[in-house]
Amino acid sequence: MSRPEHQGPPELFYDETEAEKYASSSRMTSIQSKMAERCLELLLLPEHPCLVLDIGCGSGISGGVLAESNHAWVGLDISKAMLDVALDGGAEGDMLLSDVGQGFRFRPGTFDGAVSVSALQWLCNADQKGHEPYKRLIAFFRSLYACLNKGARGALQFYPEASASCEMITSAATRCGFGGGIVIDFPDSTRAKKYYLCVYAGHTSNRPPTLPKALLGNDDEDEPTRILNTTRDRDVRRRRGPRRPVKNRDWIKEKKDRMRLAGKTVKEDTKYTGRRRPSAW
Amino acid sequence: MRLLTHNLLMCNRKQCTGGFPLRIVLDTDIDKDAQSVEESEFRPEFIQHLLPKLDWEALYKTAQELNLSPGVPPSYSEEDKKDENFLRAVHDVVMDVHILEGKLVCPNCNREYPVSKGIPNMLLTNDEV
């Protein structure tokens, strides 16, 4: 699978055509909203409506999921085109054009949680001269830690390229004071496997510092994990009775007539025509 | 951008500390609306939880600068938190007023952040990171 991060920096990759795909493709929308729902579940938000930060909000699909659960959100994204799509789609939250690798500043302790769908892997790339992925991750996590309130969590879904990028991300997060780790959903599946970085800025009594359980997908009845091996119905194809000869006496006679009409030299029809030869012995 | 987001946002420059609240300069020359009011669903519970998060002084100042009538009172008491009218007034200012065109200026370092179509551009140049 080609990785979009390799094709160019996000502000150029997500241009009008790419942003349009996000607005029109129902498949992308369904995958993204599923991941956003899972992120929201991992946040363990309190019952009342909360203020959530959406990092890499893009066309506002994850924002839609947040709004459905009655939470207010503020989104950050680097692509102008994607934000325009979000505006056209009537996104309910506020959006800012911002490069999270440069850091962002909100008043400290204001957000109750942070979600991010498929954005973190972009920070692992150096797209410009002077970009250092680790430094940019540090700037990001430092800003995130500052704007979350005590006990707030961040659930950041990402596609790691290698185990090294996982390590880089977790080490940057822990260095900035976050607790937590990576939750891998559906670890046995190649396609459904998803990585969520679940981090918490301190902890409170109703949100203990334990990682949520990963989904394993064993008892998931919506999607069958394997194709049922149906036995082939051989009986239908079984012959009834002995095989009928194709080239019988009538067929031979007809062919000889056809050949005569075509002007070929054909032997006369006799009582021996189309008869089996006697066996040699 | 709602005034809620404005109330949370600080100057993004690394060299600048305490750049809050950003001054709103509306773009009045263009023929588009620089500021709009969009009605949204009023949820008292949400506003109640939002109150401790708001910087009230900054919100009051901004509402005054934008000439929002009736706006919000200069301060509020514990009883106000349960008063539906007060919560409604806060909701109207914080959730319904949108800044569409203009710029945000840092009171500390005078860095300008342009706002277009309601989206503030918080991108920094390489020397500001």
Side-chain angles (χ1 to χ4, degrees), chain A residues 84-120:
Chain A
D84 284 341
V85 168
L87 278 185
D88 293 340
E92 290 181 43
D94 274 343
M95 288 164 292
L96 309 174
L97 185 66
S98 165
D99 178 2
V100 290
Q102 293 179 336
F104 47 90
R105 270 198 205 156
F106 292 99
R107 264 192 305 109
T110 41
F111 287 95
D112 301 306
V115 297
S116 164
V117 176
S118 316
L120 214 52

Side-chain angles (χ1 to χ4, degrees), chain B residues 37-101:
Chain B
V37 177
E38 285 169 37
E39 295 267 321
S40 63
E41 191 198 345
F42 172 52
R43 289 176 295 160
E45 199 195 359
F46 174 62
I47 304 293
Q48 267 170 357
H49 283 107
L50 202 60
L51 278 176
K53 285 182 188 153
L54 295 172
D55 186 320
W56 196 259
E57 204 180 311
L59 183 68
Y60 177 68
K61 204 175 121 196
T62 317
Q64 293 286 307
E65 279 170 5
L66 293 174
N67 293 323
L68 294 176
S69 62
V72 287
S75 64
Y76 63 92
S77 62
E78 280 300 310
E79 289 127 47
D80 285 340
K81 283 187 182 176
K82 291 178 191 110
D83 182 16
E84 177 113 357
N85 291 333
F86 168 71
L87 293 177
R88 167 73 75 174
V90 177
H91 168 86
D92 287 351
V93 169
V94 160
M95 301 300 289
D96 289 358
V97 179
H98 292 252
I99 309 296
L100 295 180
E101 304 287 332

Side-chain angles (χ1 to χ4, degrees), chain A:
Chain A
M1 199 170 76
S2 72
R3 298 186 71 95
E5 300 94 276
H6 293 171
Q7 291 172 31
E11 63 271 36
L12 300 181
F13 177 77
Y14 289 108
D15 54 1
E16 277 81 11
T17 40
E18 193 67 25
E20 193 51 45
K21 280 187 204 167
Y22 274 79
S24 55
S25 162
S26 57
R27 180 182 151 271
M28 255 177 195
T29 316
S30 89
I31 293 177
Q32 294 246 329
S33 44
K34 255 188 206 157
M35 293 194 290
E37 274 162 26
R38 177 70 176 139
C39 279
L40 191 58
E41 195 181 300
L42 292 176
L43 283 188
L44 303 179
L45 287 175
E47 286 296 305
H48 60 81
C50 294
L51 189 60
V52 181
L53 184 66
D54 186 354
I55 298 138
C57 61
S59 58
I61 299 169
S62 43
V65 172
L66 292 173
E68 264 175 39
S69 318
N70 284 330
H71 299 300
W73 58 277
V74 174
L76 300 171
D77 206 289
I78 195 172
S79 161
K80 188 94 186 56
M82 290 292 269
L83 292 179
D84 284 341
V85 168
L87 278 185
D88 293 340
E92 290 181 43
D94 274 343
M95 288 164 292
L96 309 174
L97 185 66
S98 165
D99 178 2
V100 290
Q102 293 179 336
F104 47 90
R105 270 198 205 156
F106 292 99
R107 264 192 305 109
T110 41
F111 287 95
D112 301 306
V115 297
S116 164
V117 176
S118 316
L120 214 52
Q121 70 269 19
W122 289 94
L123 285 182
C124 298
N125 274 42
D127 290 318
Q128 278 174 33
K129 195 182 162 192
H131 270 194
E132 280 180 50
Y134 191 68
K135 275 192 177 169
R136 283 165 60 75
L137 281 167
I138 291 277
F140 164 68
F141 282 114
R142 194 170 286 157
S143 313
L144 185 64
Y145 194 93
C147 76
L148 291 179
N149 61 21
K150 190 170 184 289
R153 290 188 172 217
L156 316 158
Q157 183 274 328
F158 67 108
Y159 292 107
E161 194 176 354
S163 59
S165 57
C166 269
E167 271 167 37
M168 182 161 69
I169 288 172
T170 41
S171 107
T174 36
R175 219 182 110 178
C176 295
F178 278 113
I182 292 177
V183 175
I184 304 173
D185 276 358
F186 311 113
D188 300 332
S189 156
T190 21
R191 301 193 77 188
K193 189 174 182 176
K194 293 284 178 306
Y195 291 76
Y196 296 86
L197 179 69
C198 185
V199 289
Y200 25 88
H203 50 86
T204 50
S205 55
N206 54 349
R207 286 187 272 188
T210 44
L211 270 186
K213 285 226 167 61
L215 299 181
L216 296 173
N218 295 337
D219 45 13
D220 197 354
E221 285 176 359
D222 298 343
E223 290 165 73
T225 45
R226 62 195 175 86
I227 295 167
L228 286 174
N229 207 355
T230 49
T231 48
R232 237 181 247 162
D233 212 349
R234 277 172 178 271
D235 292 5
V236 175
R237 292 174 61 190
R238 192 171 287 162
R239 289 190 304 270
R240 282 181 198 154
R243 188 191 182 116
R244 267 175 238 130
V246 179
K247 295 177 182 176
N248 56 10
R249 195 177 151 89
D250 292 339
W251 183 85
I252 292 171
K253 274 192 166 173
E254 200 194 311
K255 178 150 186 181
K256 285 174 97 172
D257 284 341
R258 236 183 308 141
M259 292 297 118
R260 263 184 221 112
L261 277 174
K264 299 263 168 71
T265 12
V266 179
K267 286 274 172 26
E268 257 180 81
D269 287 348
T270 62
K271 63 173 183 182
Y272 302 108
T273 303
R275 259 172 57 169
R276 277 178 75 93
R277 282 174 196 279
S279 53
W281 300 102

